[in-house]
Coordinates of all heavy atoms in Angstrom, one line a residue:
Y20 N 101.7 105.5 103.4 CA 100.5 105.7 104.2 C 99.9 104.4 104.7 O 99.3 104.4 105.8 CB 99.4 106.5 103.3 CG 99.8 107.9 103.0 CD1 99.4 108.4 101.7 CD2 100.5 108.7 103.9 CE1 99.8 109.8 101.4 CE2 100.8 110.0 103.6 CZ 100.5 110.5 102.3 OH 100.8 111.8 102.1
E21 N 100.1 103.3 104.0 CA 99.7 102.0 104.5 C 100.6 101.7 105.7 O 100.0 101.2 106.7 CB 99.9 101.0 103.3 CG 99.5 99.6 103.7 CD 99.6 98.6 102.6 OE1 100.0 98.9 101.5 OE2 99.4 97.4 102.9
K22 N 101.9 101.9 105.6 CA 102.8 101.6 106.7 C 102.4 102.4 107.9 O 102.5 101.9 109.1 CB 104.2 101.9 106.3 CG 105.2 101.5 107.3 CD 106.6 101.9 106.9 CE 107.2 102.8 107.9 NZ 108.2 103.7 107.6
E23 N 101.9 103.6 107.7 CA 101.5 104.5 108.8 C 100.1 104.2 109.3 O 99.6 104.9 110.2 CB 101.6 106.0 108.4 CG 103.0 106.5 108.2 CD 103.9 106.5 109.5 OE1 103.3 107.0 110.5 OE2 105.0 106.1 109.4
A24 N 99.5 103.2 108.8 CA 98.2 102.7 109.1 C 97.1 103.8 108.9 O 96.1 103.8 109.6 CB 98.1 102.3 110.6
I25 N 97.3 104.6 107.9 CA 96.3 105.6 107.5 C 95.2 104.9 106.6 O 94.1 105.2 106.6 CB 96.9 106.8 106.8 CG1 97.8 107.5 107.9 CG2 95.9 107.7 106.2 CD1 98.6 108.7 107.3
I26 N 95.7 104.0 105.7 CA 94.9 103.2 104.8 C 95.1 101.8 105.1 O 96.2 101.4 105.6 CB 95.1 103.6 103.3 CG1 96.5 103.4 103.0 CG2 94.6 105.0 103.1 CD1 96.8 103.5 101.5
H27 N 94.2 100.9 104.7 CA 94.3 99.5 104.9 C 93.8 98.7 103.7 O 92.7 98.1 103.8 CB 93.5 99.1 106.1 CG 93.8 99.9 107.3 ND1 94.9 99.7 108.1 CD2 93.1 101.0 107.9 CE1 94.9 100.6 109.1 NE2 93.8 101.4 109.0
P28 N 94.5 98.8 102.6 CA 94.1 98.1 101.4 C 94.1 96.5 101.6 O 95.0 96.0 102.3 CB 95.0 98.5 100.3 CG 96.3 98.9 101.1 CD 95.8 99.4 102.4
E29 N 93.2 95.9 101.0 CA 93.2 94.4 101.1 C 94.2 93.9 100.0 O 94.4 94.6 99.0 CB 91.8 93.8 100.8 CG 90.8 94.2 101.9 CD 89.5 93.5 101.7 OE1 89.4 92.6 100.9 OE2 88.5 94.0 102.3
K30 N 94.7 92.7 100.2 CA 95.6 92.1 99.2 C 94.9 91.0 98.5 O 94.3 90.1 99.2 CB 96.9 91.8 99.8 CG 97.7 93.0 100.2 CD 99.1 92.6 100.6 CE 99.9 93.8 101.0 NZ 101.2 93.5 101.6
D31 N 94.9 90.9 97.2 CA 94.4 89.8 96.5 C 95.3 88.6 96.7 O 96.4 88.7 97.2 CB 94.3 90.1 95.0 CG 93.3 91.2 94.7 OD1 92.4 91.5 95.5 OD2 93.5 91.9 93.6
D32 N 94.9 87.4 96.2 CA 95.7 86.2 96.3 C 97.0 86.4 95.6 O 98.0 85.8 96.1 CB 94.9 85.0 95.7 CG 93.7 84.7 96.5 OD1 93.7 85.0 97.7 OD2 92.8 84.1 95.9
N33 N 97.1 87.2 94.6 CA 98.4 87.4 93.9 C 99.2 88.5 94.5 O 100.3 88.8 94.0 CB 98.1 87.7 92.4 CG 97.3 88.9 92.2 OD1 97.0 89.7 93.2 ND2 96.8 89.2 91.0
G34 N 98.8 89.1 95.6 CA 99.6 90.1 96.3 C 99.3 91.5 95.9 O 99.8 92.5 96.5
Y35 N 98.5 91.7 94.9 CA 98.1 93.1 94.5 C 97.2 93.7 95.5 O 96.3 93.1 96.0 CB 97.4 93.1 93.1 CG 98.3 92.7 91.9 CD1 97.8 92.1 90.8 CD2 99.7 92.9 92.0 CE1 98.5 91.8 89.7 CE2 100.5 92.5 90.9 CZ 99.9 92.0 89.8 OH 100.7 91.6 88.7
R36 N 97.5 95.0 95.7 CA 96.6 95.7 96.7 C 95.3 96.2 96.0 O 95.3 96.5 94.8 CB 97.4 97.0 97.2 CG 98.5 96.6 98.1 CD 99.4 97.8 98.4 NE 100.4 97.6 99.4 CZ 101.5 96.9 99.1 NH1 101.8 96.4 97.9 NH2 102.4 96.7 100.1
N37 N 94.3 96.1 96.8 CA 92.9 96.5 96.3 C 92.4 97.6 97.3 O 92.1 97.3 98.4 CB 92.0 95.3 96.3 CG 90.8 95.6 95.5 OD1 90.6 96.6 94.8 ND2 89.8 94.6 95.5
Y38 N 92.3 98.8 96.8 CA 91.9 99.9 97.7 C 90.4 100.1 97.6 O 89.8 100.1 96.6 CB 92.6 101.2 97.2 CG 94.1 101.2 97.3 CD1 94.9 100.6 96.3 CD2 94.7 101.6 98.4 CE1 96.3 100.6 96.4 CE2 96.1 101.5 98.6 CZ 96.9 101.0 97.5 OH 98.2 100.9 97.6
S39 N 89.8 100.3 98.8 CA 88.4 100.4 99.0 C 88.0 101.9 98.8 O 89.0 102.8 98.7 CB 88.0 100.0 100.4 OG 88.5 100.9 101.4
D40 N 86.8 102.2 98.7 CA 86.3 103.6 98.6 C 86.8 104.4 99.8 O 87.1 105.6 99.7 CB 84.8 103.7 98.4 CG 84.3 103.2 97.1 OD1 85.2 103.2 96.1 OD2 83.2 102.8 97.0
E41 N 86.7 103.7 101.0 CA 87.2 104.4 102.2 C 88.6 104.8 102.2 O 89.0 105.8 102.6 CB 86.9 103.5 103.4 CG 85.4 103.3 103.7 CD 84.7 102.3 102.9 OE1 85.5 101.4 102.3 OE2 83.5 102.3 102.7
D42 N 89.5 103.9 101.6 CA 90.9 104.2 101.5 C 91.1 105.4 100.6 O 91.9 106.3 100.9 CB 91.6 103.0 100.8 CG 91.7 101.8 101.8 OD1 91.8 102.0 103.0 OD2 91.7 100.6 101.3
V43 N 90.4 105.4 99.5 CA 90.5 106.5 98.5 C 90.1 107.8 99.2 O 90.7 108.9 99.0 CB 89.7 106.2 97.2 CG1 89.7 107.5 96.3 CG2 90.3 105.0 96.5
Q44 N 89.0 107.8 99.9 CA 88.5 109.0 100.6 C 89.6 109.5 101.7 O 89.8 110.7 101.8 CB 87.2 108.7 101.3 CG 86.0 108.6 100.3 CD 84.7 108.2 101.0 OE1 84.7 108.0 102.2 NE2 83.7 108.2 100.2
A45 N 90.1 108.5 102.4 CA 91.2 108.8 103.4 C 92.4 109.5 102.6 O 93.0 110.4 103.1 CB 91.6 107.6 104.1
L46 N 92.7 108.9 101.5 CA 93.9 109.5 100.7 C 93.6 110.9 100.2 O 94.5 111.7 100.2 CB 94.2 108.5 99.6 CG 94.9 107.2 100.0 CD1 94.9 106.2 98.8 CD2 96.3 107.4 100.5

Side-chain angles (χ1 to χ4, degrees):
Y20 293 146
E21 182 180 354
K22 184 182 126 208
E23 290 294 318
I25 293 173
I26 57 172
H27 309 282
E29 293 184 19
K30 291 188 181 174
D31 294 338
D32 292 337
N33 59 10
Y35 290 155
R36 288 167 175 80
N37 193 10
Y38 296 88
S39 67
D40 289 337
E41 291 82 19
D42 290 327
V43 173
Q44 289 174 356
L46 289 166

